[in-house]
Each structure stands twice: as C-alpha cells, then as structure tokens.
Amino acid sequence: MKKTVILTACASLLSVASLQADTSVEYGPELQGFEYPYPVEHFAFTSQQQSLDMAYMDVKPTTEANGRTVVLLHGKNFCGATWEQSIKELSQAGYRVIAPDQIGFCSSSKPRGYQFSFAQLADNTHALLEELGAHKTTVVGHSMGGMLAARFALQFPEQVEQLVLVNPIGLEDWQQKGVPYATIDQLYQGQLKTTYEGIKNYQLKYYYNGEWKPEYDRWVEMAYGMYAGPGKEIVAWNQAQTAEMLFTQPVVHEFPNIQAPTLLLIGGKDRTAPGANRAPEAVAEQLGQYPQLGQATAEAIPNATLVEFPELGHSPQVEAPEQFHEALLKGLAQLNK
C-alpha cells in the first residue's frame, strides 16, 4: 500500500551565496585535517587481495536506547560527517547510529587498483556491521548512498528491517535514456579540474535552490580540501571510478524486488542527473525530475511510503534539518506500529 505525504518548507531568510573561493583549505587524501563531529574508528579488512581501512562513526544513544540501529550511507559528494545533524537527532531519539565512509571516499582507504561496484561496497558494509554486531538495521542512504542502500537491501534482505532513501540518485537509468558513456580516463581528467567555485556552484544550484547559509561552507571545504591537498590524483581517480560505477550499475530495474518497508524522502526541487552535462539538450531536459521520479519509485517498490518536500533540493537533511528530521523520525517510528 502506497502513501504519499507532502511537506511544505517554511519561508527562508537565506541569502544568495558569495562565490569567492577559499583556496586555503587543504586536507590529506584520507581527509586528514578535517574534524569529524564524532570519534572516528577504523575497520581493517581484506578485499580484492588488498588490506583496506574503512572509517566509521559508531554513536550510542544519548537517551534511553530503543534497541534499533540506523546505518547512514553517504552520497558521492558527501562523507559520513555530512550526517552530523542526523546522527545527533537519531541518537537523541534512542537509536544507535553507524555512519561509515565507503572505500574510496573521505577517511577510508583510496586504493589505486580496485573494482568498484555497489555489490562490493554493500559487502564491505555488511562485513563492518557484522564486526560491530549490528545484525538487524535500518539503512538510510542519501544520493549515491541511496543506490548503495537499495543494493544492500537486495543483497542482504535479512539484515534490513527498514530502508530509507533520501533523494537517491539512480531512480532512472541514464544510459538507457540516452546519456553518452564517458570512460574512467575521461572522468578522471574532469575530476582533476575540480575547483572550490565549481563545487559551491553545483551545491548552490542542486542542493539549496540558489540560497546559501554560511554553515554550508563546511561541506564545500570538506569536498574541495581533498582536491587541494597532496593526494589530489588518487582522490580524483577514485571519484572517476565511482562515477563510472554509478552510471553503469543501475539498481532502478530491481526496485520491485526490495522486500523491506521503504520510506522515500524526496526534495522536489532536486534535478540531479549524473552525466546530463554530456547529454543532448533534449535528453538532459528530461532527466532528474524528482517529483515524477519519487512517485514512480513509490509505485515500483512494493511497500513504500513517499514523503515529499516540494520546496527543498538534493540535501533536505542539510537544507531544512528540523523539517527533515521530524519526517524521518516519524517514518522510522511507523515500523513499530
């Protein structure tokens, strides 16, 4: 049974961003120098004949525990740290919260030769959760993390009691719709040209509807700092590899196979569509239509509830945290009813 809830954002006093670059920020290839909101721990394991390190935060409830564990999966242009406010809200509501950085991202290992796939990242995450004794979880995925969360739910259905997708990408098959393929080498050359202004302009357009708050600067600096630091080349290479991964490994065709009760939290102003910049104009105009994509996804997933935020963009948890977390906590509580 499908249910749709539409939540309207309150009027905002945000100002248009100043796009002056802060070129002073510089972090190491594993985000050395960036301050995470909670202690970072490390899971050492072997994958594809390599010794790897997966960074994660494991935050205990700050009030009476409700016995549930929430796993937060970050997007491609994000890190576990981006879930800062969500971790706080969830732990205050009695949840244990685990927020990993995937291999190739943020504070985790940056392997040069690694076959990136959503299935592999899901397996890595499963190994981490087994190590932490988190055998039954609610999995929340944002952006690319939504694609990973969907793959995880398909791959380990017995471990997922509830699935939450927050403006996930991959609600459409871009290649099928006519977006041309780009090689990893081509994507790498593009990544090497990453600038502070480019990241901020992109976030301004897709994440925050052209309106900016000073606290958003932290997330631009987090992303840009790795490109400005001594590990720029390996950071760009892993980003290129994972950009190819998300383009060539759609999960949308398998939505009908998802067994877990699913909550879709969709900002309606989002128009994110990887590769649209290299597509013919007629194709690009049809991509990333989240109001329609959210509805179609709610129809495709057997036990889905859609909550819409018509005035929000790609990152509702950052753009309107109060509104978002109210909807999230309400949706999580429905599992117990």
Side-chain angles (χ1 to χ4, degrees):
M1 183 178 181
K2 311 292 189 303
K3 182 170 71 173
T4 301
V5 179
I6 298 178
L7 299 178
T8 304
C10 298
S12 172
L13 297 177
L14 306 182
S15 60
V16 176
S18 167
L19 298 178
Q20 183 177 356
D22 177 5
T23 56
S24 64
V25 64
E26 187 174 303
Y27 299 128
E30 294 176 2
L31 210 48
Q32 295 93 335
F34 179 84
E35 185 176 352
Y36 274 63
Y38 297 92
V40 176
E41 302 179 63
H42 296 270
F43 172 53
F45 67 107
T46 300
S47 176
Q48 299 182 21
Q49 300 185 345
Q50 300 179 66
S51 296
L52 299 176
D53 182 286
M54 193 172 183
Y56 66 95
M57 292 173 285
D58 185 358
V59 182
K60 295 179 173 60
T62 56
T63 187
E64 184 179 353
N66 62 18
R68 293 179 61 183
T69 298
V70 176
V71 180
L72 301 175
L73 302 180
H74 64 79
K76 187 175 185 296
N77 299 323
F78 305 84
C79 299
T82 320
W83 289 110
E84 180 174 359
Q85 187 65 30
S86 300
I87 295 172
K88 178 182 177 181
E89 297 289 340
L90 288 164
S91 61
Q92 287 179 346
Y95 294 90
R96 176 190 183 185
V97 186
I98 300 171
D101 285 344
Q102 295 300 320
I103 295 300
F105 294 88
C106 308
S107 291
S108 291
S109 296
K110 305 289 188 305
R112 173 69 190 174
Y114 198 69
Q115 183 173 328
F116 281 95
S117 70
F118 284 115
Q120 178 68 73
L121 297 184
D123 193 78
N124 296 347
T125 304
H126 173 71
L128 168 66
L129 297 178
E130 288 297 298
E131 176 74 13
L132 298 178
H135 306 300
K136 199 77 172 176
T137 63
T138 289
V139 179
V140 180
H142 170 241
S143 192
M144 184 202 75
M147 291 185 78
L148 175 56
R151 175 58 59 202
F152 189 94
L154 290 162
Q155 205 160 316
F156 303 102
E158 72 288 343
Q159 195 166 11
V160 181
E161 62 180 4
Q162 188 176 16
L163 176 66
V164 182
L165 303 178
V166 182
N167 279 79
I169 61 170
L171 301 184
E172 57 192 334
D173 185 336
W174 307 292
Q175 192 161 220
Q176 182 188 54
K177 288 193 171 183
V179 177
Y181 175 78
T183 68
I184 294 176
D185 290 320
Q186 290 170 327
L187 293 167
Y188 173 63
Q189 291 304 316
Q191 289 291 328
L192 288 175
K193 297 174 184 176
T194 298
T195 64
Y196 188 102
E197 294 95 332
I199 293 173
K200 191 166 187 177
N201 274 317
Y202 183 86
Q203 292 190 7
L204 179 67
K205 179 179 180 180
Y206 290 102
Y207 299 3
Y208 311 120
N209 301 313
E211 300 180 322
W212 197 262
K213 285 183 176 179
E215 56 262 39
Y216 301 160
D217 290 333
R218 170 170 161 80
W219 309 124
V220 179
E221 292 166 6
M222 179 187 71
Y224 173 71
M226 289 185 288
Y227 288 97
K232 174 180 180 177
E233 287 77 13
I234 189 60
V235 169
W237 181 247
N238 279 178
Q239 285 292 302
Q241 289 174 296
T242 51
E244 198 268 357
M245 170 188 74
L246 64 86
F247 185 74
T248 59
Q249 298 177 28
V251 71
V252 59
H253 308 297
E254 298 174 65
F255 283 165
N257 297 331
I258 292 176
Q259 299 175 21
T262 301
L263 176 65
L264 295 166
L265 299 174
I266 303 295
K269 294 293 186 182
D270 192 1
R271 295 296 180 269
T272 303
N277 61 322
R278 60 178 183 265
E281 185 177 348
V283 172
E285 289 175 351
Q286 302 302 314
L287 301 175
Q289 300 295 323
Y290 270 78
Q292 291 78 28
L293 292 172
Q295 292 283 348
T297 303
E299 290 298 321
I301 297 176
N303 186 10
T305 297
L306 171 63
V307 177
E308 297 177 292
F309 309 103
E311 300 305 316
L312 300 182
H314 186 62
S315 296
Q317 74 277 29
V318 177
E319 184 182 3
E322 223 175 277
Q323 183 185 6
F324 172 81
H325 291 111
E326 181 181 356
L328 173 63
L329 291 171
K330 182 178 178 181
L332 295 184
Q334 295 301 313
L335 186 68
N336 297 325
K337 293 184 178 180

